[in-house]
Structure formats: structure tokens, C-alpha cells
């Protein structure tokens, strides 16, 4: 029933409806992501690792990218394919694939201009392997775009403070990441950090808390009642939200796969 309701929204309102099923944090991530996905007519290939129900993958396809969206969840992939058809998106595929076994997809190696991985890293115990596998899918000169919880966030819901899992059950296995931790992950994967920032500030977190409270208490009626709150973060979070004391809920990363292997470059000399 819930999937039918969501599909109806997508049918009548198109891509924007894919961003409003959950809380406002998802819209924040798309607002950040699209800055690094300029519209293209060159058919650049993009891989979305952990694509959920396909919102970001579909958004990228609408901007001209040839997209592959991955999830281990077959139901998610079925929903994503249905939404893509409703919106009329082409050049997109949603194969079932576990992100922890990404290295098994030898056809992906060095094949993508952009790899995105939003709110996935915190679910994976071996995050070092994950980053190496993500880097392995990039062409030289390609970009990796990541969001994951900021380790210094202030909890929106009680479960945000843990306890976190010690085995991979689908829930978070760690609280989040700092700039230093993301830099460390990039260095061991031979990626260069371009920029690290944050998204989802005070007004978005406040709206999300209200949304979750109303949804959990009143179901669909609560979701509808909280809907007007979605208008506030896009208007205020980018300026005022960043200046208030609450840290960004997610930390963002843009990393680059060098075109040049410096250790093999004739001009490179160890020790200077």
C-alpha cells in the first residue's frame, strides 16, 4: 500500500516526488550532489553504490549520465526500475549487487567517470576495502562523491546515539566520520581529496525531527501534516542554518582518482 502511494506521487509529480518520501535529509543530499553533476550530453557513466530506491540514480540520468544503480535489496531495485519507467528515464540499470562484493564485478573496473556512495559507508565494517573498490570502479580522472554521517552530529532521533552494531545487519556499524577519517580512507585507496564539507544543518534537522515524530505517531496523516516543513530548509539552511551552533548532520566528500601514477612518472623521485 505504501509503495502504491509513493508510485502515485512519482507518476503525477515526476522526479521531485522521489525526494520527499523520507525526511528532509534526502533532499539535502541531492542538493549537495547535483553541484558536482553538471548536465552533460557526453553520456558519462555514473555508478550509484547503495542506491536505495533509485532517487539519486534517476536524478543523475535526467542530467544526461548513463547510470548503473546498485543495491543488495531486490525489492529496492524493483521499485527503482518502476520509478524510472514512470518518469521515462532511459540509459539506467538497477542490477542487484552487494556493495561489500563490488570487487567481484570485474566489468566495473575502471569503467565509470563518477561513482557516488551516499549514506552507505557507515553500514560497512570494512570501510577501507569499500573505498578501494569504489576507487577501482573509477576511470583515471574520475570523481568519487560520498556522504556519510558526521561523527560530531547532534542526534535527531534517540537511535542516532546508538548502540551501533558490531556485525552487519543493515544498521549503522559506526557513528560516523571526521575529516581525518575520510582523508585516511582516500589515501589508502590512492584517491586525492578535493574537498570535504557538510550538509543538513539546523533547520533541516529540526524539520526532520518534527517529520519523524509526526510520521511515527500518525502514519500517512503525520507525513502529510509535516510536508510544509520541507519548505523551510531550502530557504534558510544554506545561509542561516550554517551559522547556528548545530553541526551538519552529514559530512560530504569529493575525491579524485589521479590520471597519473606518480610512482611511475619519469619525473618522480623518492625522497625529493
Amino acid at each position: 500500500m505504501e509503495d502504491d502511494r509513493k508510485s502515485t506521487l512519482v507518476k503525477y509529480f515526476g522526479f521531485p516526488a522521489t525526494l520527499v518520501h523520507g525526511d528532509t535529509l534526502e533532499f539535502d543530499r541531492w542538493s549537495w550532489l547535483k553541484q558536482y553533476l553538471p548536465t552533460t550530453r557526453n553520456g558519462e557513466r555514473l555508478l550509484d553504490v547503495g542506491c536505495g530506491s533509485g532517487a539519486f540514480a534517476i536524478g543523475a540520468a535526467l542530467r544526461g549520465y548513463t547510470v548503473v544503480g546498485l543495491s543488495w535489496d531486490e525489492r529496492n531495485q524493483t521499485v527503482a526500475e518502476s520509478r524510472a519507467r514512470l518518469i521515462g528515464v532511459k540509459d539506467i540499470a538497477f542490477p542487484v549487487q552487494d556493495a561489500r562484493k563490488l570487487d567481484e564485478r570485474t566489468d566495473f573496473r575502471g569503467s565509470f567517470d563518477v561513482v557516488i556512495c551516499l549514506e552507505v559507508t557507515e553500514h560497512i565494517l570494512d570501510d577501507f576495502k569499500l573505498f578501494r573498490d569504489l576507487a577501482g570502479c573509477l576511470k583515471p580522472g574520475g570523481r568519487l562523491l560520498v556522504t556519510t554521517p558526521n561523527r560530531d552530529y547532534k542526534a535527531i532521533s534517540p537511535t542516532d546515539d546508538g548502540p551501533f552494531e558490531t556485525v552487519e545487519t543493515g544498521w549503522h556499524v559506526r557513528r560516523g566520520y571526521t575529516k581525518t577519517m575520510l582523508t585516511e580512507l582516500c589515501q589508502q585507496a590512492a584517491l586525492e581529496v578535493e574537498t570535504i564539507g557538510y550538509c543538513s544543518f539546523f533547520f533541516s534537522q529540526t524539520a526532520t525531527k518534527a517529520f519523524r515524530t509526526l510520521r511515527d505517531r500518525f502514519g500517512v496523516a503525520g507525513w502529510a501534516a509535516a510536508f510544509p516543513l520541507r519548505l523551510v530548509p531550502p530557504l534558510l539552511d544554506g545561509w542561516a542554518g550554517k551559522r547556528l551552533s548545530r553541526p551538519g548532520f552529514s559530512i560530504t566528500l569529493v575525491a579524485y582518482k589521479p590520471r597519473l601514477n606518480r610512482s611511475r612518472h619519469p619525473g618522480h623521485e623518492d625522497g625529493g
Side-chain angles (χ1 to χ4, degrees), residues 228-243:
L229 295 174
R230 296 177 180 278
L231 301 176
V232 176
L235 295 174
L236 298 178
D237 238 18
W239 178 77
K242 292 179 181 179
R243 287 159 175 78

Side-chain angles (χ1 to χ4, degrees), residues 62-174:
L62 289 171
R63 297 175 81 84
Y65 294 83
T66 299
V67 178
V68 177
L70 305 180
S71 172
W72 61 270
D73 189 328
E74 188 171 350
R75 175 187 165 279
N76 270 350
Q77 300 304 75
T78 299
V79 171
E81 289 172 350
S82 174
R83 291 178 179 177
R85 285 195 300 272
L86 285 171
I87 296 169
V89 173
K90 300 179 180 179
D91 295 325
I92 194 167
F94 292 100
V96 176
Q97 176 65 48
D98 190 330
R100 297 168 298 181
K101 300 178 180 179
L102 191 57
D103 57 322
E104 296 179 1
R105 292 297 302 259
T106 56
D107 54 321
F108 287 172
R109 292 178 187 168
S111 297
F112 294 91
D113 301 280
V114 182
V115 173
I116 67 175
C117 188
L118 276 62
E119 307 301 306
V120 172
T121 314
E122 67 276 10
H123 297 268
I124 307 295
L125 285 171
D126 193 351
D127 48 357
F128 288 99
K129 178 182 182 297
L130 174 66
F131 263 61
R132 291 194 299 271
D133 293 344
L134 296 172
C137 293
L138 282 169
K139 298 176 181 178
R143 260 182 168 176
L144 172 65
L145 306 174
V146 172
T147 72
T148 190
N150 170 15
R151 196 176 72 173
D152 300 322
Y153 64 59
K154 293 183 180 179
I156 298 174
S157 303
T159 54
D160 292 336
D161 284 331
F164 302 105
E165 300 292 340
T166 57
V167 295
E168 291 168 333
T169 63
W171 185 237
H172 296 186
V173 299
R174 63 183 63 83

Side-chain angles (χ1 to χ4, degrees), residues 1-10 20-21 219-220 223:
M1 185 69 176
E2 184 178 0
D3 284 343
D4 291 342
R5 173 176 59 83
K6 292 177 178 179
S7 295
T8 299
L9 288 172
V10 172
V20 300
H21 296 146
V220 175
W223 179 91

Side-chain angles (χ1 to χ4, degrees), residues 185-242:
L185 288 172
C186 288
Q187 287 174 341
Q188 62 87 41
L191 295 170
E192 296 188 3
V193 174
E194 289 191 8
T195 183
I196 295 176
Y198 300 93
C199 69
S200 298
F201 294 95
F202 176 83
F203 291 103
S204 183
Q205 293 177 49
T206 302
T208 292
K209 184 173 184 177
F211 167 82
R212 292 178 182 176
T213 300
L214 290 169
R215 178 200 59 193
D216 294 345
R217 184 170 298 180
F218 301 110
V220 175
W223 179 91
F227 192 85
L229 295 174
R230 296 177 180 278
L231 301 176
V232 176
L235 295 174
L236 298 178
D237 238 18
W239 178 77
K242 292 179 181 179

Side-chain angles (χ1 to χ4, degrees), residues 14-73:
F15 169 67
T18 67
L19 300 173
V20 300
H21 296 146
D23 52 42
T24 58
L25 304 183
E26 187 165 3
F27 180 84
D28 297 339
R29 292 165 198 147
W30 172 248
S31 297
W32 171 79
L33 179 65
K34 69 180 182 179
Q35 299 176 78
Y36 301 99
L37 298 178
T39 302
T40 179
R41 295 181 180 178
N42 295 314
E44 283 97 335
R45 299 192 73 206
L46 180 146
L47 179 66
D48 184 353
V49 178
C51 68
S53 53
F56 302 138
I58 291 169
L62 289 171
R63 297 175 81 84
Y65 294 83
T66 299
V67 178
V68 177
L70 305 180
S71 172
W72 61 270
D73 189 328

